[in-house]
Amino acid sequence: FRSDTRSKSDNANLQGVASGQLFRAPAGALRTSIRLGATHLGFASTSERLGVVQSVDLSRDAFNGLVNLDLPLASRRADFLPALGELSANLNLAIEDLSDFGTLKTVGYGLNWRPVARFSVIVSTSHDQNAPTIQQLGNPVVFTPGVRIFDFATGRTVDVTRLSGGNTGLLAETSDVFKVGLNFSPVTARDRKSTRLNSSH
């Protein structure tokens, strides 16, 4: 039997980023970065199997934005709450609007603490949403009879009719992540610099 498949995809991506200092706090500068962008994704395919022709023409336009903030809370170098060492907070918010799905949001925040030069702690949490692909949403539904699979429950090999294709009822995938990181460096940058100076003598 003849089986023929043809597909074509195209995409475009435009992003703009700006970053800098908003103002100066007692422990240091509040810094931010902002990203705005737009993307386009197109996918078209035609397939013929057993005399049945299936075609699909999908597209997705997306507009996205991201804001990231870094704020020092304590700093030994700036002599603000020096007993705490170096402590800063981070916040980021991302929004993406998809033409074929809706709006997705990502929120994350955390703390970065360095009480002494050789030791640091990073604590962060994030809530993330991801959309199904345009193929998972819009591909045509295909029934394929006579597909042989192994049934692990019964230990038998059976012939089934396989159903494949897209599902417009798919929801966004969500994930919540909490991280704690500890870092200890037995040798600091100052130690390495001192060692190089001593060796040069």
Side-chain angles (χ1 to χ4, degrees), residues 166-177:
N167 181 0
T168 57
L170 291 176
L171 301 177
E173 178 189 53
T174 61
S175 62
D176 294 284
V177 179

Side-chain angles (χ1 to χ4, degrees), residues 176-190:
D176 294 284
V177 179
F178 178 76
K179 294 181 180 179
V180 177
L182 305 176
N183 183 60
F184 175 74
S185 176
V187 180
T188 65
R190 180 177 298 179

Side-chain angles (χ1 to χ4, degrees), residues 32-62:
T32 184
S33 62
I34 301 174
R35 187 190 71 206
L36 297 175
T39 62
H40 169 78
L41 176 63
F43 178 79
S45 69
T46 302
S47 63
E48 180 180 353
R49 178 180 170 83
L50 302 178
V52 178
V53 178
Q54 295 274 355
S55 63
V56 62
D57 190 357
L58 307 172
S59 66
R60 169 178 289 177
D61 296 311

Side-chain angles (χ1 to χ4, degrees), residues 87-129:
L87 176 65
S88 62
N90 174 268
L91 171 66
N92 58 80
L93 171 63
I95 296 178
E96 185 174 28
D97 184 63
L98 306 177
S99 60
D100 62 330
F101 190 77
T103 302
L104 303 173
K105 298 178 182 178
T106 297
V107 180
Y109 52 89
L111 291 174
N112 190 336
W113 182 38
R114 186 182 295 273
V116 294
R118 301 178 186 273
F119 181 74
S120 64
V121 181
I122 298 177
V123 180
S124 65
T125 183
S126 64
H127 175 77
D128 191 21
Q129 292 182 315

